[in-house]
Amino acid sequence: MIHVELQSVRKTFGSVVAVNGVNLSIEKGETLALLGPSGCGKTTTLNMIAGFLDLDDGNILINGKVINNVPPNKRNVGMVFQNYALFPHLRVYDNVGFGLQMRKVPKAEITEKVKRALDMVRLPGVEERYPKQLSGGQQQRVALARALVFNPDILLLDEPLSNLDAKLREEMRLELMDLRRRLGITSIFVTHDQEEALVLSDRVAVMNAGVIEQLAIPTEIYEKPKTGFVASFIGEFNKMAGEVAEIGSGGAVKVKIAEGVVIKSNQGYGGKVGDKVQVMIRPERMRLSLQATASDNSFPVKVEKIAYLGMVIRYYITIGGVRCVVFVANRGDRLNIATGADVHVEWDNEHSLIAGL
Amino acid sequence: MASAKASVATRRRARVNLLPFFLLLPVMVVFLAVFAPAVIHIFLQSLWKFDSFRLAIVRDLTAANYVKFFTDAYYLNVLWLTIRISLIVTGISLVIGYCLAYFIFYRGGRFRTYYVLILLSPLLVTVVVRAFGWLLFLGDNGLLAQFLKFVLRTDSPPRVIFNEQGVILGLFHVYLPFMVLAILGSLQRIDISLPMAARNLGASAYQAFTRVTLPLSLPGVFTGSVLVFVLTMGSFAVPFLLGGGKVPMIAMQVYEKELVFINWPFAGAMGFILLAIVGTVIIFSGRALERGKYGVVFQ
Ligand SMILES: Nc1ncnc2c1ncn2[C@@H]1O[C@H](COP(=O)(O)OP(=O)(O)OP(=O)(O)O)[C@@H](O)[C@H]1O
Ligand SMILES: [Mg+2]
């Protein structure tokens, strides 16, 4: 069942087009990530769903009903703000209980629900404190408790983890995953952290300059990016420009990058021989070996530079005149490859993605 | 290790706290060297006697000046009048000033700066000139009187000047900008997402204002009110020019005793009573707000 739907939603601020015809539909209980670079219209989209901004064009529907003119306080949508927006003049108790007080819930019930909400976010017993007496991570939990305590239909989160340090972010990410699974609430969260989007959501909408470039499940976003923007935004890619040399059966394609360098793919290509295309290969799908093997793609290369990052080691090489990088998981064997070594780079057919130019 | 860290922390904090002190030092030196001796002198004088036959000060220590002020119905009336006018002016400026500040900040848009400039423009003209402006406008032959004469078809239209209302109007006009500026300052410090969060949690626009915006702007309300109250309590030119001699506020009395009757001891006593009342009001209202429901916003 479709719970939230955006139909050609558009919003401009003066001459700036913040959101330019966004279409989205979110199933009941689904978690959708809005992922995109700074200024692409993520917060604007969220603010329109929450009712803080009027639309210039299009419709927003909840449960099939257009809610464009419903004021924010009547939407029953919980929101966690980017900076948490906890009321500094109120204790945690009144912060979390605010939504219940507005709904005229009896006092005893508020106390009970606030306690349960704080237990849920693993922050029991802080009712009497003021927000500034809490750490960033604790404030984040209070903001979450406040947004969930009144049983909203939809939960909106604007970069909920961006203000936390790396370790805490990891921890809160796991907790959010767990919470989401337990509550099964329809949620939309904004992030510009691709890892967060992939881990936390059922589907990811990649936004760029006010439009959604691709809306798909995380694995598809990563494995089969539909546009060049999505490909470059999520993870890394080695990109090589070339010319289609041969189109075979079963999706087999050969692309000539340079004299003597022909890359094989089995990902299919809709055009014709002679087209200028781009071949994209994820750095972690490439392998380095000391001897040539019978791989689909295998080229002799020289290691030009090595960047040791701990968990992975990045090897810089050149294929057909194009600088590429290969990620190798650090298994402790260090491969015995030094800068300047002659090695072979190889990968399988299915990892060569082909995109039009 | 831990204690070493702690001492580094305290040292750093101490350094931060000393900076304002050094910056204030020149002012404090001037105050202590020039102002403090004068104040002490006036205070001592207020404890001396005044011989009204010889028009001379007699250096006998006495509390008579203070006793007289608090036992004489006339002076008690002056005090009550001054406090009453100050409270009324503060109250009116607060309500109207808040509305103005709110409008300028939330509805002003890109004209915000211009509204503030318009608001401040009267401060370029001295109080006396502005009072004369009101005289021209509201006086017996002023614009308003002419208009009322014409509309009400009478030769003696109701007067809005040379009485308490006139003084209140004049004081309100003079001190309103201070109130608006103070409230504007505290509205600016409120994170815009806070009222949004309130709306999101189910508050109507009115509830978001009363539960979130208003409490968070209380420091500005307090500063503005204290400023206006203190300035009104000590105001002299406006009641003098617009009161028509019928609104004897305390500062006028000090002036009269000092320069007309040369009774410096009594004038000094009145000055100190004024100072004490204003000081007490500031301290106690501040304390009350800090201990109140939203005390945390004052920390
Ligand atoms: N109130 C506003 N007035 C004018 N322009 C605005 C306003 N709010 C947003 N914009 C503009 O609209 C565009 C989208 O802004 P938005 O806040 O939605 O970006 P975002 O994707 O949330 O970015 P970030 O990741 O930096 O938070 C930006 O170009 C921004 O400058
Ligand atoms: Mg944003």
Side-chain angles (χ1 to χ4, degrees), chain B residues 224-266:
Chain B
S225 303
V226 163
L227 266 174
V228 173
F229 182 77
V230 169
L231 292 170
T232 329
M233 282 292 284
S235 65
F236 167 76
V238 171
F240 188 78
L241 293 169
L242 300 184
K246 283 179 289 193
V247 190
M249 288 179 71
I250 196 165
M252 282 169 66
Q253 296 295 305
V254 175
Y255 167 83
E256 208 174 76
K257 274 279 171 280
E258 183 136 355
L259 293 182
V260 181
F261 297 105
I262 342 174
N263 187 345
W264 288 18
F266 193 69

CSV table of all heavy atoms in Angstrom, one decimal, chain B residues 224-266:
chain,number,residue,atom,x,y,z
B,224,GLY,N,14.8,44.9,27.9
B,224,GLY,CA,14.0,46.0,27.4
B,224,GLY,C,13.2,46.7,28.5
B,224,GLY,O,13.2,47.9,28.6
B,225,SER,N,12.5,45.9,29.3
B,225,SER,CA,11.7,46.4,30.4
B,225,SER,C,12.5,47.1,31.4
B,225,SER,O,12.1,48.2,31.9
B,225,SER,CB,10.9,45.3,31.0
B,225,SER,OG,10.1,44.6,30.1
B,226,VAL,N,13.6,46.6,31.8
B,226,VAL,CA,14.5,47.2,32.8
B,226,VAL,C,15.0,48.5,32.2
B,226,VAL,O,14.9,49.6,32.9
B,226,VAL,CB,15.7,46.3,33.2
B,226,VAL,CG1,16.8,47.1,33.8
B,226,VAL,CG2,15.2,45.2,34.1
B,227,LEU,N,15.4,48.5,31.0
B,227,LEU,CA,15.9,49.8,30.4
B,227,LEU,C,14.8,50.9,30.4
B,227,LEU,O,15.1,52.0,30.9
B,227,LEU,CB,16.3,49.5,28.9
B,227,LEU,CG,17.7,49.2,28.6
B,227,LEU,CD1,17.9,48.8,27.1
B,227,LEU,CD2,18.6,50.4,28.9
B,228,VAL,N,13.6,50.5,29.9
B,228,VAL,CA,12.6,51.5,29.8
B,228,VAL,C,12.2,52.0,31.2
B,228,VAL,O,12.0,53.2,31.5
B,228,VAL,CB,11.4,50.9,29.0
B,228,VAL,CG1,10.2,51.9,29.1
B,228,VAL,CG2,11.8,50.7,27.6
B,229,PHE,N,12.0,51.0,32.1
B,229,PHE,CA,11.6,51.4,33.5
B,229,PHE,C,12.6,52.3,34.1
B,229,PHE,O,12.2,53.4,34.7
B,229,PHE,CB,11.5,50.1,34.3
B,229,PHE,CG,11.0,50.4,35.7
B,229,PHE,CD1,9.7,50.6,36.0
B,229,PHE,CD2,11.9,50.3,36.8
B,229,PHE,CE1,9.2,50.9,37.3
B,229,PHE,CE2,11.4,50.6,38.1
B,229,PHE,CZ,10.1,50.9,38.3
B,230,VAL,N,13.9,52.0,34.0
B,230,VAL,CA,14.9,52.8,34.7
B,230,VAL,C,15.0,54.2,34.0
B,230,VAL,O,15.0,55.2,34.7
B,230,VAL,CB,16.3,52.1,34.5
B,230,VAL,CG1,17.4,53.0,34.9
B,230,VAL,CG2,16.4,50.8,35.4
B,231,LEU,N,14.9,54.2,32.7
B,231,LEU,CA,15.0,55.5,32.0
B,231,LEU,C,13.8,56.4,32.4
B,231,LEU,O,13.9,57.6,32.5
B,231,LEU,CB,15.1,55.3,30.5
B,231,LEU,CG,16.4,54.7,30.0
B,231,LEU,CD1,16.3,54.3,28.6
B,231,LEU,CD2,17.5,55.7,30.2
B,232,THR,N,12.6,55.7,32.4
B,232,THR,CA,11.4,56.5,32.8
B,232,THR,C,11.4,57.0,34.2
B,232,THR,O,11.1,58.1,34.5
B,232,THR,CB,10.1,55.6,32.6
B,232,THR,OG1,10.3,54.7,31.6
B,232,THR,CG2,8.9,56.5,32.3
B,233,MET,N,11.9,56.1,35.1
B,233,MET,CA,11.9,56.5,36.5
B,233,MET,C,12.8,57.8,36.7
B,233,MET,O,12.5,58.6,37.5
B,233,MET,CB,12.6,55.4,37.4
B,233,MET,CG,11.7,54.2,37.7
B,233,MET,SD,10.3,54.6,38.8
B,233,MET,CE,11.2,54.7,40.4
B,234,GLY,N,13.8,57.9,35.9
B,234,GLY,CA,14.7,59.0,36.0
B,234,GLY,C,14.5,60.1,35.0
B,234,GLY,O,15.3,61.0,34.9
B,235,SER,N,13.4,60.0,34.3
B,235,SER,CA,13.2,61.0,33.2
B,235,SER,C,12.8,62.4,33.7
B,235,SER,O,12.2,62.5,34.8
B,235,SER,CB,12.1,60.5,32.2
B,235,SER,OG,10.9,60.5,32.9
B,236,PHE,N,13.3,63.3,33.0
B,236,PHE,CA,13.2,64.7,33.5
B,236,PHE,C,12.6,65.6,32.4
B,236,PHE,O,11.6,66.3,32.7
B,236,PHE,CB,14.6,65.2,33.9
B,236,PHE,CG,14.6,66.7,34.1
B,236,PHE,CD1,14.1,67.2,35.3
B,236,PHE,CD2,15.2,67.5,33.2
B,236,PHE,CE1,14.2,68.6,35.5
B,236,PHE,CE2,15.3,68.8,33.4
B,236,PHE,CZ,14.8,69.4,34.5
B,237,ALA,N,13.1,65.6,31.2
B,237,ALA,CA,12.7,66.6,30.2
B,237,ALA,C,11.3,66.4,29.8
B,237,ALA,O,10.5,67.4,29.7
B,237,ALA,CB,13.7,66.5,29.0
B,238,VAL,N,10.9,65.1,29.5
B,238,VAL,CA,9.5,64.9,29.0
B,238,VAL,C,8.5,65.3,30.0
B,238,VAL,O,7.6,66.1,29.7
B,238,VAL,CB,9.4,63.4,28.6
B,238,VAL,CG1,8.0,63.1,28.2
B,238,VAL,CG2,10.3,63.2,27.4
B,239,PRO,N,8.5,64.9,31.3
B,239,PRO,CA,7.5,65.3,32.2
B,239,PRO,C,7.5,66.9,32.4
B,239,PRO,O,6.5,67.5,32.6
B,239,PRO,CB,7.8,64.6,33.5
B,239,PRO,CG,9.1,64.0,33.4
B,239,PRO,CD,9.4,63.8,31.9
B,240,PHE,N,8.7,67.4,32.3
B,240,PHE,CA,8.9,68.8,32.5
B,240,PHE,C,8.2,69.6,31.3
B,240,PHE,O,7.4,70.5,31.6
B,240,PHE,CB,10.4,69.2,32.5
B,240,PHE,CG,10.7,70.6,32.9
B,240,PHE,CD1,10.7,71.0,34.2
B,240,PHE,CD2,11.0,71.5,31.9
B,240,PHE,CE1,10.9,72.3,34.5
B,240,PHE,CE2,11.3,72.8,32.2
B,240,PHE,CZ,11.3,73.2,33.6
B,241,LEU,N,8.4,69.1,30.1
B,241,LEU,CA,7.9,69.9,29.0
B,241,LEU,C,6.4,69.5,28.6
B,241,LEU,O,5.6,70.3,28.2
B,241,LEU,CB,8.7,69.6,27.7
B,241,LEU,CG,10.1,70.2,27.8
B,241,LEU,CD1,11.0,69.7,26.7
B,241,LEU,CD2,10.1,71.7,27.8
B,242,LEU,N,6.1,68.2,28.8
B,242,LEU,CA,4.7,67.8,28.4
B,242,LEU,C,3.8,67.7,29.6
B,242,LEU,O,2.6,67.4,29.4
B,242,LEU,CB,4.8,66.4,27.7
B,242,LEU,CG,5.7,66.4,26.4
B,242,LEU,CD1,5.6,65.1,25.7
B,242,LEU,CD2,5.2,67.5,25.4
B,243,GLY,N,4.2,67.8,30.8
B,243,GLY,CA,3.4,67.6,32.0
B,243,GLY,C,2.6,68.9,32.4
B,243,GLY,O,1.8,68.9,33.2
B,244,GLY,N,3.0,70.0,31.8
B,244,GLY,CA,2.4,71.3,32.1
B,244,GLY,C,2.4,71.6,33.6
B,244,GLY,O,1.5,72.2,34.2
B,245,GLY,N,3.5,71.1,34.3
B,245,GLY,CA,3.7,71.4,35.7
B,245,GLY,C,2.8,70.6,36.6
B,245,GLY,O,2.8,70.7,37.8
B,246,LYS,N,1.9,69.7,36.0
B,246,LYS,CA,1.0,69.0,36.8
B,246,LYS,C,1.4,67.5,37.0
B,246,LYS,O,0.7,66.7,37.6
B,246,LYS,CB,-0.4,69.0,36.1
B,246,LYS,CG,-1.1,70.3,36.3
B,246,LYS,CD,-2.4,70.3,35.6
B,246,LYS,CE,-2.2,70.4,34.1
B,246,LYS,NZ,-3.4,70.7,33.3
B,247,VAL,N,2.6,67.2,36.5
B,247,VAL,CA,3.0,65.8,36.6
B,247,VAL,C,4.4,65.8,37.3
B,247,VAL,O,5.4,65.6,36.6
B,247,VAL,CB,3.0,65.1,35.3
B,247,VAL,CG1,3.3,63.6,35.5
B,247,VAL,CG2,1.7,65.3,34.5
B,248,PRO,N,4.5,65.9,38.6
B,248,PRO,CA,5.8,66.1,39.2
B,248,PRO,C,6.5,64.8,39.5
B,248,PRO,O,6.4,64.2,40.5
B,248,PRO,CB,5.4,66.7,40.6
B,248,PRO,CG,4.0,66.2,40.9
B,248,PRO,CD,3.3,66.0,39.5
B,249,MET,N,7.2,64.3,38.5
B,249,MET,CA,7.9,63.1,38.6
B,249,MET,C,9.2,63.3,39.4
B,249,MET,O,9.6,64.5,39.6
B,249,MET,CB,8.2,62.4,37.3
B,249,MET,CG,7.0,61.9,36.6
B,249,MET,SD,7.3,61.1,35.0
B,249,MET,CE,8.2,59.7,35.5
B,250,ILE,N,9.8,62.3,40.0
B,250,ILE,CA,10.8,62.5,41.0
B,250,ILE,C,12.0,63.2,40.6
B,250,ILE,O,12.5,64.1,41.3
B,250,ILE,CB,11.1,61.1,41.7
B,250,ILE,CG1,11.8,61.3,43.0
B,250,ILE,CG2,11.9,60.2,40.8
B,250,ILE,CD1,11.9,60.1,43.9
B,251,ALA,N,12.4,63.0,39.3
B,251,ALA,CA,13.6,63.6,38.8
B,251,ALA,C,13.4,65.1,38.8
B,251,ALA,O,14.3,65.9,39.0
B,251,ALA,CB,14.1,63.1,37.5
B,252,MET,N,12.2,65.5,38.4
B,252,MET,CA,11.9,67.0,38.4
B,252,MET,C,12.0,67.6,39.8
B,252,MET,O,12.4,68.7,40.0
B,252,MET,CB,10.5,67.2,37.9
B,252,MET,CG,10.3,67.1,36.4
B,252,MET,SD,8.6,67.0,35.9
B,252,MET,CE,8.1,68.7,36.4
B,253,GLN,N,11.5,66.8,40.8
B,253,GLN,CA,11.6,67.3,42.2
B,253,GLN,C,13.0,67.4,42.6
B,253,GLN,O,13.4,68.4,43.3
B,253,GLN,CB,10.9,66.2,43.1
B,253,GLN,CG,9.4,66.1,42.8
B,253,GLN,CD,8.7,67.4,43.1
B,253,GLN,OE1,8.8,67.9,44.2
B,253,GLN,NE2,8.0,67.9,42.2
B,254,VAL,N,13.9,66.5,42.2
B,254,VAL,CA,15.3,66.6,42.5
B,254,VAL,C,15.9,67.9,42.0
B,254,VAL,O,16.5,68.7,42.6
B,254,VAL,CB,16.1,65.4,42.0
B,254,VAL,CG1,17.6,65.5,42.3
B,254,VAL,CG2,15.6,64.1,42.7
B,255,TYR,N,15.6,68.1,40.7
B,255,TYR,CA,16.0,69.3,40.0
B,255,TYR,C,15.6,70.6,40.7
B,255,TYR,O,16.4,71.5,41.0
B,255,TYR,CB,15.5,69.3,38.6
B,255,TYR,CG,15.6,70.6,37.8
B,255,TYR,CD1,16.8,70.9,37.2
B,255,TYR,CD2,14.5,71.5,37.7
B,255,TYR,CE1,16.9,72.1,36.5
B,255,TYR,CE2,14.6,72.7,37.1
B,255,TYR,CZ,15.8,73.0,36.4
B,255,TYR,OH,15.9,74.2,35.8
B,256,GLU,N,14.3,70.6,41.1
B,256,GLU,CA,13.7,71.8,41.7
B,256,GLU,C,14.4,72.0,43.1
B,256,GLU,O,14.8,73.1,43.4
B,256,GLU,CB,12.2,71.5,41.9
B,256,GLU,CG,11.4,72.8,41.9
B,256,GLU,CD,9.9,72.4,42.0
B,256,GLU,OE1,9.4,72.0,43.1
B,256,GLU,OE2,9.3,72.4,40.9
B,257,LYS,N,14.5,71.0,43.9
B,257,LYS,CA,15.1,71.1,45.2
B,257,LYS,C,16.5,71.6,45.1
B,257,LYS,O,17.0,72.4,45.9
B,257,LYS,CB,15.0,69.8,46.0
B,257,LYS,CG,13.7,69.5,46.7
B,257,LYS,CD,13.7,70.2,48.0
B,257,LYS,CE,12.3,70.2,48.7
B,257,LYS,NZ,11.3,71.2,48.2
B,258,GLU,N,17.2,71.1,44.1
B,258,GLU,CA,18.6,71.3,44.0
B,258,GLU,C,18.9,72.7,43.5
B,258,GLU,O,19.7,73.5,44.0
B,258,GLU,CB,19.2,70.3,43.1
B,258,GLU,CG,20.7,70.4,42.9
B,258,GLU,CD,21.4,69.1,43.0
B,258,GLU,OE1,20.8,68.1,43.2
B,258,GLU,OE2,22.6,69.1,42.8
B,259,LEU,N,18.2,73.1,42.4
B,259,LEU,CA,18.5,74.4,41.8
B,259,LEU,C,17.6,75.5,42.1
B,259,LEU,O,18.1,76.7,42.1
B,259,LEU,CB,18.5,74.2,40.2
B,259,LEU,CG,19.6,73.2,39.7
B,259,LEU,CD1,19.6,73.1,38.2
B,259,LEU,CD2,21.0,73.7,40.2
B,260,VAL,N,16.4,75.2,42.5
B,260,VAL,CA,15.5,76.3,42.9
B,260,VAL,C,15.6,76.6,44.4
B,260,VAL,O,15.8,77.7,44.8
B,260,VAL,CB,14.1,76.0,42.5
B,260,VAL,CG1,13.1,77.2,42.9
B,260,VAL,CG2,14.0,75.7,41.0
B,261,PHE,N,15.6,75.6,45.2
B,261,PHE,CA,15.6,75.8,46.6
B,261,PHE,C,17.0,75.5,47.2
B,261,PHE,O,17.1,75.7,48.4
B,261,PHE,CB,14.6,74.8,47.3
B,261,PHE,CG,13.2,75.1,46.9
B,261,PHE,CD1,12.5,74.3,46.0
B,261,PHE,CD2,12.5,76.2,47.4
B,261,PHE,CE1,11.2,74.5,45.6
B,261,PHE,CE2,11.2,76.5,47.0
B,261,PHE,CZ,10.6,75.7,46.1
B,262,ILE,N,17.9,75.2,46.4
B,262,ILE,CA,19.3,74.9,46.8
B,262,ILE,C,19.4,73.9,48.0
B,262,ILE,O,20.3,73.9,48.7
B,262,ILE,CB,20.1,76.2,47.2
B,262,ILE,CG1,19.4,77.4,46.6
B,262,ILE,CG2,21.5,76.0,46.6
B,262,ILE,CD1,20.1,78.7,47.0
B,263,ASN,N,18.3,73.1,48.2
B,263,ASN,CA,18.3,72.2,49.3
B,263,ASN,C,19.0,70.9,48.8
B,263,ASN,O,18.4,69.9,48.5
B,263,ASN,CB,16.9,71.9,49.7
B,263,ASN,CG,16.8,71.0,51.0
B,263,ASN,OD1,17.9,70.4,51.4
B,263,ASN,ND2,15.7,71.0,51.6
B,264,TRP,N,20.3,71.0,48.8
B,264,TRP,CA,21.1,69.8,48.2
B,264,TRP,C,20.9,68.6,49.1
B,264,TRP,O,20.9,67.5,48.5
B,264,TRP,CB,22.6,70.2,48.1
B,264,TRP,CG,22.8,71.2,46.9
B,264,TRP,CD1,21.8,71.9,46.3
B,264,TRP,CD2,24.0,71.4,46.2
B,264,TRP,NE1,22.3,72.7,45.3
B,264,TRP,CE2,23.7,72.4,45.2
B,264,TRP,CE3,25.3,71.0,46.4
B,264,TRP,CZ2,24.6,72.9,44.4
B,264,TRP,CZ3,26.2,71.5,45.5
B,264,TRP,CH2,25.9,72.4,44.5
B,265,PRO,N,20.9,68.6,50.4
B,265,PRO,CA,20.8,67.4,51.1
B,265,PRO,C,19.5,66.7,50.8
B,265,PRO,O,19.5,65.5,50.6
B,265,PRO,CB,20.7,67.9,52.6
B,265,PRO,CG,21.5,69.1,52.5
B,265,PRO,CD,21.2,69.8,51.2
B,266,PHE,N,18.4,67.4,50.7
B,266,PHE,CA,17.1,66.7,50.4
B,266,PHE,C,17.1,66.1,49.0
B,266,PHE,O,16.6,65.0,48.7
B,266,PHE,CB,15.9,67.6,50.6
B,266,PHE,CG,14.6,66.9,50.6
B,266,PHE,CD1,14.3,66.1,51.7
B,266,PHE,CD2,13.7,67.0,49.6
B,266,PHE,CE1,13.1,65.4,51.7
B,266,PHE,CE2,12.5,66.3,49.6
B,266,PHE,CZ,12.2,65.5,50.7
